[in-house]
Amino acid sequence: MFTAATTNLITTVLGPDTGPQVLRRRHAEGSAEDHLAGLVLDAARRVSELEENLRQRVGSVAGVLTRLTATLDAGQSGNPHGVLQSTGLDIDLLAARHAEAHHWLVATLSAYRTATAGQ
């Protein structure tokens, strides 16, 4: 559900004993802190989903580049259908969405940490 990178970010900001599983059960249900923890978890899920999508897309590009290399080695035309151009744009958009989601996760973690500092 959460990537290792996302879990590591959460525990780095909130402490080693405060991973996603702990956040789910830490506060009284329906409390303000519980809602804030839910926002953190939603943001963490989004970052993890985008990270997974980005990793999959980068992996598929590796296959495209391998085929392109084989095509060039065979003395054929390199990129006749503009596959690399659209692929680059897809990765760029995914990376931008991931960066935005990561920024939001850091902001929600900071708000959560501030709100629960005295507990």
Short mmCIF file of all heavy atoms in Angstrom, two decimals, residues 3 12-14 21-22 26-27 30 32 38-39 48 50 56 65 73 77 86 89 92 100-101 105 113-114:
data_model
loop_
_atom_site.label_atom_id
_atom_site.label_comp_id
_atom_site.label_asym_id
_atom_site.label_seq_id
_atom_site.Cartn_x
_atom_site.Cartn_y
_atom_site.Cartn_z
N THR A 3 4.80 2.75 -0.40
CA THR A 3 6.14 2.38 -0.82
C THR A 3 7.11 2.57 0.34
O THR A 3 6.82 3.30 1.30
CB THR A 3 6.62 3.24 -2.01
OG1 THR A 3 6.68 4.61 -1.59
CG2 THR A 3 5.71 3.09 -3.21
N THR A 12 10.80 9.37 9.20
CA THR A 12 11.85 10.38 9.36
C THR A 12 11.28 11.65 9.97
O THR A 12 11.88 12.25 10.87
CB THR A 12 12.51 10.70 8.00
OG1 THR A 12 13.14 9.52 7.51
CG2 THR A 12 13.54 11.80 8.13
N VAL A 13 10.11 12.07 9.51
CA VAL A 13 9.51 13.30 10.01
C VAL A 13 8.87 13.11 11.38
O VAL A 13 9.02 13.96 12.27
CB VAL A 13 8.47 13.85 9.00
CG1 VAL A 13 7.71 15.03 9.58
CG2 VAL A 13 9.15 14.26 7.70
N LEU A 14 8.17 12.00 11.58
CA LEU A 14 7.41 11.82 12.81
C LEU A 14 8.10 10.97 13.87
O LEU A 14 7.64 10.91 15.00
CB LEU A 14 6.04 11.21 12.49
CG LEU A 14 5.15 12.02 11.55
CD1 LEU A 14 3.83 11.31 11.31
CD2 LEU A 14 4.94 13.44 12.06
N GLN A 21 0.98 2.43 9.95
CA GLN A 21 0.11 1.57 10.76
C GLN A 21 -0.19 2.20 12.12
O GLN A 21 -1.30 2.09 12.64
CB GLN A 21 0.73 0.18 10.95
CG GLN A 21 0.97 -0.58 9.66
CD GLN A 21 -0.30 -0.82 8.88
OE1 GLN A 21 -1.39 -0.87 9.43
NE2 GLN A 21 -0.18 -0.97 7.57
N VAL A 22 0.79 2.87 12.69
CA VAL A 22 0.62 3.52 13.99
C VAL A 22 -0.33 4.71 13.85
O VAL A 22 -1.19 4.92 14.71
CB VAL A 22 1.99 3.96 14.56
CG1 VAL A 22 1.82 4.81 15.80
CG2 VAL A 22 2.85 2.74 14.85
N ARG A 26 -3.66 5.77 16.32
CA ARG A 26 -3.06 6.60 17.36
C ARG A 26 -4.05 7.50 18.11
O ARG A 26 -3.86 7.77 19.28
CB ARG A 26 -1.96 7.44 16.74
CG ARG A 26 -1.26 8.32 17.74
CD ARG A 26 -0.13 9.03 17.09
NE ARG A 26 1.09 8.45 17.64
CZ ARG A 26 2.28 8.87 17.37
NH1 ARG A 26 2.46 9.83 16.51
NH2 ARG A 26 3.33 8.33 17.92
N HIS A 27 -5.08 7.97 17.45
CA HIS A 27 -5.96 8.97 18.04
C HIS A 27 -7.40 8.46 18.13
O HIS A 27 -7.79 7.53 17.42
CB HIS A 27 -5.93 10.25 17.19
CG HIS A 27 -4.55 10.77 16.99
ND1 HIS A 27 -3.83 11.40 17.98
CD2 HIS A 27 -3.73 10.75 15.91
CE1 HIS A 27 -2.64 11.73 17.52
NE2 HIS A 27 -2.55 11.34 16.28
N GLY A 30 -12.56 10.16 15.04
CA GLY A 30 -13.34 11.37 14.86
C GLY A 30 -12.72 12.62 15.45
O GLY A 30 -13.23 13.72 15.24
N ALA A 32 -9.89 15.67 15.96
CA ALA A 32 -9.18 16.50 14.99
C ALA A 32 -7.85 15.86 14.60
O ALA A 32 -7.47 15.86 13.42
CB ALA A 32 -8.94 17.90 15.57
N GLY A 38 -5.57 11.09 9.04
CA GLY A 38 -6.18 10.61 7.80
C GLY A 38 -5.70 11.38 6.58
O GLY A 38 -5.45 10.80 5.52
N LEU A 39 -5.55 12.68 6.73
CA LEU A 39 -5.01 13.50 5.62
C LEU A 39 -3.57 13.09 5.29
O LEU A 39 -3.20 13.01 4.12
CB LEU A 39 -5.07 14.98 5.97
CG LEU A 39 -6.46 15.61 6.01
CD1 LEU A 39 -6.37 17.05 6.53
CD2 LEU A 39 -7.11 15.57 4.63
N SER A 48 2.65 7.33 -2.92
CA SER A 48 3.04 5.95 -3.23
C SER A 48 2.49 5.49 -4.57
O SER A 48 3.19 4.85 -5.36
CB SER A 48 2.56 5.01 -2.12
OG SER A 48 3.27 5.25 -0.93
N LEU A 50 1.67 7.38 -7.18
CA LEU A 50 2.39 8.08 -8.25
C LEU A 50 3.81 7.56 -8.40
O LEU A 50 4.32 7.44 -9.51
CB LEU A 50 2.38 9.58 -8.01
CG LEU A 50 1.02 10.25 -8.25
CD1 LEU A 50 1.00 11.66 -7.69
CD2 LEU A 50 0.68 10.25 -9.73
N GLN A 56 6.90 2.23 -12.97
CA GLN A 56 6.45 1.36 -14.06
C GLN A 56 6.71 2.01 -15.41
O GLN A 56 7.16 1.35 -16.35
CB GLN A 56 4.97 1.05 -13.91
CG GLN A 56 4.66 0.11 -12.77
CD GLN A 56 3.17 -0.07 -12.55
OE1 GLN A 56 2.35 0.54 -13.21
NE2 GLN A 56 2.81 -0.92 -11.59
N LEU A 65 13.87 1.88 -25.08
CA LEU A 65 15.25 2.22 -25.41
C LEU A 65 16.05 1.00 -25.86
O LEU A 65 16.88 1.09 -26.77
CB LEU A 65 15.92 2.90 -24.23
CG LEU A 65 15.36 4.28 -23.87
CD1 LEU A 65 16.00 4.79 -22.58
CD2 LEU A 65 15.56 5.27 -25.01
N ASP A 73 21.15 -0.77 -34.18
CA ASP A 73 22.20 -1.77 -34.45
C ASP A 73 21.91 -2.52 -35.75
O ASP A 73 22.84 -2.96 -36.43
CB ASP A 73 22.32 -2.76 -33.30
CG ASP A 73 22.95 -2.14 -32.05
OD1 ASP A 73 23.53 -1.04 -32.16
OD2 ASP A 73 22.84 -2.76 -30.97
N SER A 77 15.88 2.82 -39.23
CA SER A 77 15.51 4.13 -38.72
C SER A 77 15.23 4.05 -37.23
O SER A 77 14.56 3.13 -36.76
CB SER A 77 14.28 4.64 -39.48
OG SER A 77 13.84 5.85 -38.94
N SER A 86 6.65 11.23 -26.94
CA SER A 86 5.46 11.09 -26.09
C SER A 86 5.80 10.43 -24.76
O SER A 86 5.24 10.77 -23.73
CB SER A 86 4.36 10.31 -26.82
OG SER A 86 4.78 8.99 -27.06
N LEU A 89 7.31 13.02 -22.44
CA LEU A 89 6.28 13.91 -21.91
C LEU A 89 5.48 13.20 -20.80
O LEU A 89 5.21 13.80 -19.75
CB LEU A 89 5.34 14.37 -23.02
CG LEU A 89 4.22 15.31 -22.61
CD1 LEU A 89 4.76 16.57 -21.96
CD2 LEU A 89 3.36 15.66 -23.82
N ASP A 92 7.61 13.12 -17.73
CA ASP A 92 7.72 14.46 -17.18
C ASP A 92 6.46 14.84 -16.41
O ASP A 92 6.54 15.38 -15.29
CB ASP A 92 7.99 15.46 -18.31
CG ASP A 92 8.44 16.81 -17.81
OD1 ASP A 92 9.19 16.86 -16.81
OD2 ASP A 92 8.06 17.83 -18.43
N GLU A 100 4.54 17.28 -6.81
CA GLU A 100 3.47 18.05 -6.16
C GLU A 100 2.87 17.26 -5.00
O GLU A 100 2.63 17.80 -3.91
CB GLU A 100 2.39 18.40 -7.17
CG GLU A 100 1.27 19.23 -6.61
CD GLU A 100 0.22 19.57 -7.66
OE1 GLU A 100 0.53 19.57 -8.86
OE2 GLU A 100 -0.92 19.81 -7.25
N ALA A 101 2.62 15.98 -5.21
CA ALA A 101 2.05 15.13 -4.16
C ALA A 101 3.04 14.99 -2.99
O ALA A 101 2.65 14.99 -1.83
CB ALA A 101 1.68 13.75 -4.72
N LEU A 105 2.47 15.99 0.88
CA LEU A 105 2.70 15.05 1.98
C LEU A 105 3.61 15.69 3.03
O LEU A 105 3.33 15.60 4.23
CB LEU A 105 3.32 13.74 1.47
CG LEU A 105 3.73 12.74 2.56
CD1 LEU A 105 2.56 12.37 3.47
CD2 LEU A 105 4.34 11.50 1.92
N ARG A 113 2.66 17.03 12.76
CA ARG A 113 3.69 17.09 13.80
C ARG A 113 3.47 18.28 14.72
O ARG A 113 3.55 18.16 15.95
CB ARG A 113 5.08 17.14 13.17
CG ARG A 113 6.20 17.09 14.20
CD ARG A 113 7.56 17.10 13.58
NE ARG A 113 7.71 18.34 12.83
CZ ARG A 113 8.46 18.48 11.75
NH1 ARG A 113 9.15 17.46 11.29
NH2 ARG A 113 8.53 19.62 11.13
N THR A 114 3.15 19.43 14.14
CA THR A 114 2.90 20.64 14.94
C THR A 114 1.66 20.46 15.81
O THR A 114 1.66 20.80 17.00
CB THR A 114 2.72 21.87 14.01
OG1 THR A 114 3.93 22.03 13.25
CG2 THR A 114 2.44 23.12 14.80
#
